[in-house]
Short mmCIF file of all heavy atoms in Angstrom, two decimals:
data_model
loop_
_atom_site.label_atom_id
_atom_site.label_comp_id
_atom_site.label_asym_id
_atom_site.label_seq_id
_atom_site.Cartn_x
_atom_site.Cartn_y
_atom_site.Cartn_z
N ALA A 1 23.89 53.85 -26.43
CA ALA A 1 25.03 54.70 -26.04
C ALA A 1 24.78 56.16 -26.50
O ALA A 1 24.91 57.06 -25.77
CB ALA A 1 26.31 54.21 -26.57
N LEU A 2 24.26 56.25 -27.70
CA LEU A 2 24.05 57.63 -28.21
C LEU A 2 22.86 58.32 -27.44
O LEU A 2 22.98 59.51 -27.27
CB LEU A 2 23.72 57.51 -29.81
CG LEU A 2 24.76 57.32 -30.64
CD1 LEU A 2 24.28 56.87 -31.98
CD2 LEU A 2 25.80 58.45 -30.83
N PHE A 3 21.90 57.54 -27.00
CA PHE A 3 20.88 58.11 -26.22
C PHE A 3 21.29 58.43 -24.90
O PHE A 3 21.04 59.65 -24.30
CB PHE A 3 19.59 57.29 -26.29
CG PHE A 3 18.35 57.81 -25.59
CD1 PHE A 3 17.78 58.90 -26.27
CD2 PHE A 3 18.10 57.41 -24.32
CE1 PHE A 3 16.60 59.32 -25.64
CE2 PHE A 3 16.99 58.03 -23.71
CZ PHE A 3 16.22 58.94 -24.32
N ALA A 4 21.97 57.48 -24.28
CA ALA A 4 22.40 57.88 -22.93
C ALA A 4 23.31 59.00 -22.78
O ALA A 4 23.41 59.82 -21.99
CB ALA A 4 23.18 56.54 -22.29
N ASP A 5 24.43 59.12 -23.76
CA ASP A 5 25.33 60.09 -23.71
C ASP A 5 25.08 61.48 -24.38
O ASP A 5 25.66 62.53 -23.99
CB ASP A 5 26.61 59.57 -24.39
CG ASP A 5 27.27 58.30 -23.64
OD1 ASP A 5 26.71 57.99 -22.58
OD2 ASP A 5 28.23 57.72 -24.17
N THR A 6 24.10 61.49 -25.27
CA THR A 6 23.71 62.72 -25.96
C THR A 6 22.20 62.99 -25.97
O THR A 6 21.85 64.12 -26.33
CB THR A 6 24.32 62.71 -27.50
OG1 THR A 6 23.25 61.89 -28.23
CG2 THR A 6 25.66 61.99 -27.50
N HIS A 7 21.51 62.10 -25.55
CA HIS A 7 20.00 62.20 -25.55
C HIS A 7 19.47 62.43 -27.05
O HIS A 7 18.44 63.16 -27.12
CB HIS A 7 19.48 63.22 -24.57
CG HIS A 7 19.62 62.68 -23.13
ND1 HIS A 7 19.54 63.55 -22.15
CD2 HIS A 7 19.76 61.29 -22.65
CE1 HIS A 7 19.71 62.83 -21.03
NE2 HIS A 7 19.76 61.50 -21.25
N ASN A 8 20.19 61.98 -27.94
CA ASN A 8 19.77 61.93 -29.37
C ASN A 8 19.14 60.54 -29.67
O ASN A 8 19.88 59.57 -29.40
CB ASN A 8 20.74 62.35 -30.35
CG ASN A 8 21.03 63.87 -30.49
OD1 ASN A 8 20.49 64.42 -31.37
ND2 ASN A 8 21.74 64.34 -29.44
N VAL A 9 18.02 60.41 -30.36
CA VAL A 9 17.50 59.22 -30.81
C VAL A 9 18.22 58.89 -32.21
O VAL A 9 18.13 59.79 -33.18
CB VAL A 9 16.01 59.33 -30.92
CG1 VAL A 9 15.40 57.94 -31.61
CG2 VAL A 9 15.34 59.42 -29.62
N ALA A 10 18.79 57.68 -32.40
CA ALA A 10 19.30 57.17 -33.70
C ALA A 10 18.55 56.00 -34.12
O ALA A 10 18.35 55.16 -33.22
CB ALA A 10 20.72 56.99 -33.50
N GLU A 11 18.14 56.01 -35.19
CA GLU A 11 17.56 54.75 -35.96
C GLU A 11 18.78 53.89 -36.06
O GLU A 11 19.99 54.21 -35.88
CB GLU A 11 16.90 55.12 -37.21
CG GLU A 11 17.77 55.68 -38.29
CD GLU A 11 16.93 56.06 -39.52
OE1 GLU A 11 16.72 55.28 -40.44
OE2 GLU A 11 16.37 57.29 -39.54
N GLY A 12 18.38 52.52 -36.44
CA GLY A 12 19.47 51.59 -36.68
C GLY A 12 20.65 51.98 -37.52
O GLY A 12 21.85 52.04 -37.14
N ALA A 13 20.44 52.40 -38.82
CA ALA A 13 21.39 52.89 -39.60
C ALA A 13 22.02 54.17 -39.07
O ALA A 13 23.30 54.30 -39.27
CB ALA A 13 20.92 53.17 -41.04
N GLY A 14 21.26 54.96 -38.44
CA GLY A 14 21.88 56.14 -37.80
C GLY A 14 22.81 55.91 -36.80
O GLY A 14 23.72 56.74 -36.54
N ALA A 15 22.84 54.86 -36.14
CA ALA A 15 23.75 54.42 -35.07
C ALA A 15 24.85 53.57 -35.50
O ALA A 15 25.83 53.30 -34.90
CB ALA A 15 22.98 53.71 -33.98
N ALA A 16 24.76 53.11 -36.72
CA ALA A 16 25.87 52.19 -37.27
C ALA A 16 27.23 52.75 -37.29
O ALA A 16 28.21 52.03 -36.97
CB ALA A 16 25.47 51.74 -38.71
N ALA A 17 27.48 54.04 -37.58
CA ALA A 17 28.76 54.51 -37.63
C ALA A 17 29.37 54.43 -36.26
O ALA A 17 30.58 54.21 -36.16
CB ALA A 17 28.65 55.99 -38.24
N PHE A 18 28.59 54.86 -35.23
CA PHE A 18 29.18 54.84 -33.89
C PHE A 18 29.35 53.37 -33.40
O PHE A 18 30.36 53.01 -32.69
CB PHE A 18 28.28 55.59 -32.87
CG PHE A 18 28.89 55.68 -31.44
CD1 PHE A 18 29.99 56.59 -31.31
CD2 PHE A 18 28.48 55.06 -30.42
CE1 PHE A 18 30.60 56.60 -30.15
CE2 PHE A 18 29.06 55.09 -29.21
CZ PHE A 18 30.16 55.93 -29.05
N ALA A 19 28.51 52.36 -33.88
CA ALA A 19 28.72 50.97 -33.65
C ALA A 19 30.12 50.57 -34.14
O ALA A 19 30.96 49.84 -33.44
CB ALA A 19 27.69 50.14 -34.19
N ALA A 20 30.43 51.02 -35.32
CA ALA A 20 31.73 50.68 -36.01
C ALA A 20 32.80 51.37 -35.20
O ALA A 20 34.01 50.76 -34.99
CB ALA A 20 31.79 51.14 -37.45
N ALA A 21 32.67 52.65 -34.77
CA ALA A 21 33.74 53.28 -33.90
C ALA A 21 34.01 52.44 -32.70
O ALA A 21 35.14 52.41 -32.31
CB ALA A 21 33.28 54.71 -33.76
N MET A 22 32.90 52.08 -32.07
CA MET A 22 33.15 51.22 -30.83
C MET A 22 33.85 49.97 -31.19
O MET A 22 34.67 49.52 -30.27
CB MET A 22 31.77 51.08 -30.12
CG MET A 22 31.16 52.24 -29.44
SD MET A 22 29.92 51.84 -28.25
CE MET A 22 28.66 51.03 -29.28
N GLN A 23 33.55 49.34 -32.22
CA GLN A 23 34.17 48.03 -32.64
C GLN A 23 35.63 48.22 -32.78
O GLN A 23 36.41 47.46 -32.65
CB GLN A 23 33.45 47.41 -33.87
CG GLN A 23 33.93 46.12 -34.38
CD GLN A 23 33.34 45.84 -35.73
OE1 GLN A 23 33.99 46.10 -36.73
NE2 GLN A 23 32.09 45.32 -35.75
N GLN A 24 35.97 49.47 -33.31
CA GLN A 24 37.46 49.78 -33.60
C GLN A 24 38.05 50.66 -32.63
O GLN A 24 39.03 51.31 -32.91
CB GLN A 24 37.55 50.30 -35.02
CG GLN A 24 37.15 49.35 -36.21
CD GLN A 24 37.80 49.78 -37.46
OE1 GLN A 24 38.32 50.83 -37.58
NE2 GLN A 24 37.64 48.93 -38.45
N ARG A 25 37.54 50.74 -31.45
CA ARG A 25 38.03 51.70 -30.51
C ARG A 25 39.55 51.61 -30.20
O ARG A 25 40.20 52.70 -30.01
CB ARG A 25 37.26 51.73 -29.10
CG ARG A 25 37.38 50.30 -28.45
CD ARG A 25 36.92 50.42 -26.96
NE ARG A 25 35.46 50.87 -26.91
CZ ARG A 25 34.41 50.04 -26.73
NH1 ARG A 25 34.57 48.72 -27.02
NH2 ARG A 25 33.27 50.50 -26.68
N GLU A 26 40.05 50.50 -30.22
CA GLU A 26 41.60 50.34 -29.91
C GLU A 26 42.39 50.99 -31.07
O GLU A 26 43.45 51.57 -30.73
CB GLU A 26 41.90 48.84 -29.59
CG GLU A 26 41.37 48.28 -28.32
CD GLU A 26 41.74 49.11 -27.13
OE1 GLU A 26 42.78 49.58 -27.13
OE2 GLU A 26 40.79 49.32 -26.26
N ARG A 27 41.90 50.80 -32.28
CA ARG A 27 42.71 51.34 -33.34
C ARG A 27 42.76 52.87 -33.36
O ARG A 27 43.75 53.47 -33.75
CB ARG A 27 42.05 50.84 -34.74
CG ARG A 27 42.73 51.42 -35.86
CD ARG A 27 42.13 51.02 -37.11
NE ARG A 27 42.73 51.53 -38.39
CZ ARG A 27 42.39 51.32 -39.63
NH1 ARG A 27 41.22 50.76 -39.83
NH2 ARG A 27 43.04 51.88 -40.44
#
């Protein structure tokens, strides 16, 4: 998602924050 939407490369830990945000999107 980060690459498609921003064209930034994120390593695994680098993408974890956005992964959590997607997990909690309804909140």
Side-chain angles (χ1 to χ4, degrees):
L2 287 165
F3 186 73
D5 294 355
T6 77
H7 286 160
N8 277 264
V9 174
E11 61 188 272
F18 189 67
M22 289 199 295
Q23 185 187 94
Q24 294 202 349
R25 61 165 59 89
E26 292 305 319
R27 179 182 179 188

